[in-house]
Amino acid sequence: MITNAKTSNIHLDKKAVKALMRRSDRPGLIYLGCWLGLLAVTGTLVILSVGTWWMVPTLLVYSGFFAVSAYALSHECAHGTAFRTRWLNETVFWFTSLLYYEEPLHRRYSHASHHTHTWIEGEDNQMPYAPIPLTFLGWVEEILGLGLYWHQTKMFVLHSLGIFSDDVKRVTPESELPRMQRNTQICVAIYLGLAAISIWFGWLWPLWLIVIPRVLGGPIMNAFILMQHVEMAENQPNIVQSTRSFRTNWFFQFLYFNMNNHIEHHLYPTVPFHALPELSEALTDQLPEPDAGFLSTHWEVLKITIRRSLGRNDRSTKIRQAFSDDQAGDDNDRAMA
């Protein structure tokens, strides 16, 4: 089942879309420079606070900045829209995918399946590892990233040996599998090499600035990712029903590369991150109101999963959930107006 703007009854002038699709190096370089600067400042505070109680807050802050934007920038580069210059896009893609803990080629092809078949069970390769709709235990599993860590570690081992699952073969051109194997071997060599060098020289900075922040910042990152589709409708072609956009402040928009405009991103995935606010404005009359901010939306999701686990009413009046037939009809009418 294909999912796109056409199957979602969303229409935008072709010239307007083409203008929004225009790529540029400048916004990506500004974002990259600001992010690396933010990491440099907070990372320095982490190193200076080692052995003191100040390390707890500084490490938490650094970890959030590290994990959320590593994911967001890797995601944007997977689309090829972070930078206009291809080698620059691919270099940053490799770097951020390593931080995110996924081989770049698999990241690109599995994410392509996510866009082509958004929230379609058996076709979307990026569905949650926990059963949906989520219970509280499923929410905990997704927030901690337990399924993700296990899945990616297993793939690093198997893909480096040239062993690919049916799901991977389904979304990856056969000609790309040898390249995926080589890439995986390079990733594993980098991880193991850095670990060996750190042990040999007694370096602790990779632990404080890479490993622990990826794990500690993972739940914050996963909370952002989870909100993209959690509680939305599965197995139907309308992206408006399967995907969530939400409001947030300018700083979270910066960390998340404007991906809070997530319906808009799925409708027109070739529009670069820096043009998403403009795309959102152009589609205002065709889309539902965005959900509340990051914290309030995710707090509501958590309460829903707890009520569901207790067998209580799991409906919400504060955020959008999977539509009833009447709601879906109303929304389709609005989208077609």
Side-chain angles (χ1 to χ4, degrees):
M1 187 183 298
I2 303 297
T3 56
N4 53 38
K6 184 177 181 180
T7 65
S8 306
N9 295 317
I10 300 297
H11 309 282
L12 193 60
D13 180 74
K14 289 184 179 180
K15 289 184 179 179
V17 174
K18 187 175 181 179
L20 290 168
M21 286 171 53
R22 192 174 295 118
R23 301 178 188 185
S24 171
D25 288 339
R26 187 171 181 271
L29 287 171
I30 291 173
Y31 265 75
L32 179 61
C34 290
W35 179 51
L36 292 178
L38 196 61
L39 291 184
V41 171
T42 54
T44 299
L45 293 176
V46 169
I47 296 300
L48 292 176
S49 66
V50 171
T52 73
W53 283 106
W54 282 107
M55 189 174 188
V56 175
T58 56
L59 188 57
L60 281 172
V61 170
Y62 173 84
S63 297
F65 297 163
F66 176 94
V68 174
S69 289
Y71 158 79
L73 186 48
S74 172
H75 164 265
E76 188 71 21
C77 289
H79 282 275
T81 50
F83 306 94
R84 182 179 181 179
T85 303
R86 182 174 175 79
W87 71 261
L88 181 58
N89 192 91
E90 294 307 291
T91 299
V92 176
F93 185 38
W94 259 90
F95 173 68
T96 51
S97 294
L98 282 168
L99 297 181
Y100 177 64
Y101 194 55
E102 185 171 8
E103 183 273 315
L105 201 58
H106 174 265
R107 177 145 179 70
R108 177 164 280 153
Y109 282 117
S110 64
H111 191 65
S113 82
H114 173 61
H115 274 273
T116 306
H117 310 288
T118 301
W119 229 229
I120 308 297
E121 293 177 297
E123 296 185 59
D124 181 347
N125 266 31
Q126 294 188 331
M127 295 286 282
Y129 295 98
I132 51 178
L134 290 180
T135 62
F136 174 68
L137 289 180
W139 177 88
V140 171
E141 179 182 342
E142 289 297 309
I143 289 298
L144 294 181
L146 301 179
L148 177 65
Y149 288 131
W150 168 247
H151 182 70
Q152 300 295 12
T153 301
K154 183 172 63 174
M155 283 201 302
F156 275 123
V157 173
L158 294 178
H159 290 188
S160 65
L161 298 173
I163 302 171
F164 303 97
S165 69
D166 290 340
D167 275 344
V168 172
K169 291 179 180 178
R170 178 172 53 81
V171 302
T172 310
E174 186 176 356
S175 61
E176 291 282 61
L177 293 177
R179 184 171 161 225
M180 187 178 288
Q181 181 181 3
R182 289 194 298 272
N183 282 358
T184 306
Q185 292 169 341
I186 292 171
C187 290
V188 171
I190 291 173
Y191 291 142
L192 295 181
L194 181 59
I197 292 172
S198 298
I199 293 172
W200 180 265
F201 289 102
W203 292 347
L204 290 179
W205 66 262
L207 186 67
W208 297 126
L209 298 181
I210 300 175
V211 179
I212 292 177
R214 175 59 184 85
V215 175
L216 196 60
I220 305 172
M221 175 192 75
N222 292 333
F224 275 98
I225 297 172
L226 193 61
M227 282 203 302
Q228 297 170 358
H229 305 282
V230 69
E231 292 300 308
M232 302 306 295
E234 310 112 51
N235 303 321
Q236 53 79 41
N238 191 336
I239 288 170
V240 176
Q241 295 183 27
S242 66
T243 307
R244 169 182 290 107
S245 291
F246 62 94
R247 295 189 181 91
T248 189
N249 60 55
W250 69 268
F251 188 66
F252 276 13
Q253 281 187 260
F254 162 75
L255 289 181
Y256 199 34
F257 271 58
N258 290 329
M259 280 300 132
N260 56 295
N261 301 295
H262 213 69
I263 297 177
E264 297 88 333
H265 169 65
H266 269 265
L267 291 170
Y268 298 98
T270 53
V271 172
F273 72 98
H274 56 83
L276 284 177
E278 188 177 349
L279 174 62
S280 180
E281 185 175 348
L283 293 173
T284 297
D285 294 339
Q286 299 185 65
L287 300 181
E289 285 290 318
D291 284 346
F294 169 73
L295 294 176
S296 58
T297 298
H298 203 79
W299 175 242
E300 189 66 18
V301 169
L302 173 58
K303 291 190 294 183
I304 289 167
T305 63
I306 292 174
R307 292 199 303 269
R308 181 176 292 134
S309 297
L310 295 174
R312 297 180 181 175
N313 186 345
D314 63 358
R315 297 294 86 191
S316 173
T317 59
K318 297 182 179 179
I319 65 171
R320 290 198 310 133
Q321 293 174 276
F323 293 119
S324 68
D325 291 339
D326 289 341
Q327 288 173 307
D330 291 344
D331 190 77
N332 282 330
D333 290 343
R334 180 181 180 183
M336 295 176 68

